């Protein structure tokens, strides 16, 4: 039997308490599992992504669309310096 091991899992949505904190799981690959909980935050994310997609008709490429998603969700990407030899 093959196992999937997850260690120190912490997950939550921005502005709310974490749903999981430091959870360790050992899952058998033959199991069929599902997580049950509130789906409001996920529906909100999907609604916002669909709205961005609807209004993104004028974006020239995928990169600009990706930047718009980062702006809307306040995703901060750490800037890296140039690579010099």
């Amino acid at each position: 039997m093959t196992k999937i091991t997850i260690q120190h899992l912490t997950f939550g949505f921005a502005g709310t308490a974490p749903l999981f904190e430091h959870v360790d799981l050992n899952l058998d690959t033959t199991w069929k599992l599902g997580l049950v909980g509130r789906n409001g935050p996920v529906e909100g994310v999907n609604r916002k992504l669909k709205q961005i997609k609807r209004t993104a008709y004028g974006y020239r490429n995928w990169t600009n669309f990706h930047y718009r998603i980062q702006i809307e969700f306040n995703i901060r990407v750490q800037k890296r310096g140039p690579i010099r030899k």
Side-chain angles (χ1 to χ4, degrees), residues 1 3 6-10 14-16 20-21 29 51-52 55 57 61 63 66-67 69-70 76-78:
M1 280 189 222
K3 299 263 185 192
I6 301 171
Q7 296 178 337
H8 310 295
L9 173 67
T10 301
T16 63
F20 304 108
E21 283 190 281
T29 56
Q51 181 64 37
I52 293 169
T55 59
Y57 182 75
N61 57 34
T63 304
H66 189 210
Y67 289 153
I69 292 170
Q70 289 177 343
R76 305 226 186 273
V77 179
Q78 185 177 9

Side-chain angles (χ1 to χ4, degrees), residues 22-83:
H22 308 294
V23 175
D24 294 332
L25 300 170
N26 289 314
L27 308 172
D28 190 340
T29 56
T30 60
W31 295 351
K32 295 183 180 178
L33 302 171
L35 296 175
V36 179
R38 296 182 179 159
N39 63 350
V42 176
E43 286 183 7
V45 169
N46 285 336
R47 182 199 58 77
K48 192 178 265 191
L49 285 173
K50 286 180 182 181
Q51 181 64 37
I52 293 169
K53 187 177 176 185
R54 250 186 256 119
T55 59
Y57 182 75
Y59 289 141
R60 291 180 178 206
N61 57 34
W62 174 256
T63 304
N64 291 343
F65 180 60
H66 189 210
Y67 289 153
R68 186 73 222 166
I69 292 170
Q70 289 177 343
I71 291 168
E72 287 293 326
F73 288 99
N74 295 324
I75 298 171
R76 305 226 186 273
V77 179
Q78 185 177 9
K79 294 183 180 179
R80 291 181 261 167
I83 299 173

